[in-house]
Amino acid sequence: MRLGTRWAAFTTPPAAVPDALRSQIAAVEKLLPEGQLTHQPTPSWTLTWLEGRPVAELDTGVIVALDAEGNAVVRHDPDDEFA
């Protein structure tokens, strides 16, 4: 069993976050509207494991995960109110 973790956006991801996800997480953070984030709490990432694959989800509904080939892909949770 692997345990997940949480960390604030715009900070260095913990060591538990696989290298394969890090560049896409950084790319997502570059697109966040920092000016708008000053009026609300900074969103956090949550790392979980689904069927042995890492999944990082931002509070805003952005998800960075590995596909079956091991490539990092970015998608939005359609059920998230901020997506």
Side-chain angles (χ1 to χ4, degrees):
M1 182 171 123
R2 290 178 139 168
L3 296 177
T5 188
R6 277 183 65 79
W7 72 98
F10 307 110
T11 64
T12 302
V17 177
D19 289 339
L21 296 183
R22 290 174 180 265
S23 65
Q24 287 300 323
I25 289 171
V28 167
E29 290 179 352
K30 285 183 180 179
L31 297 175
L32 292 175
E34 288 187 70
Q36 293 175 6
L37 295 176
T38 59
H39 302 292
Q40 52 189 318
T42 301
S44 292
W45 290 95
T46 302
L47 175 69
T48 57
W49 298 85
L50 180 62
E51 297 179 0
R53 292 190 196 135
V55 177
E57 183 170 359
L58 191 59
D59 292 340
T60 62
V62 175
I63 298 170
V64 179
L66 294 184
D67 64 12
E69 290 79 36
N71 301 308
V73 293
V74 178
R75 63 184 176 86
H76 294 271
D77 182 349
D79 295 327
D80 193 289
E81 63 183 275
F82 298 108

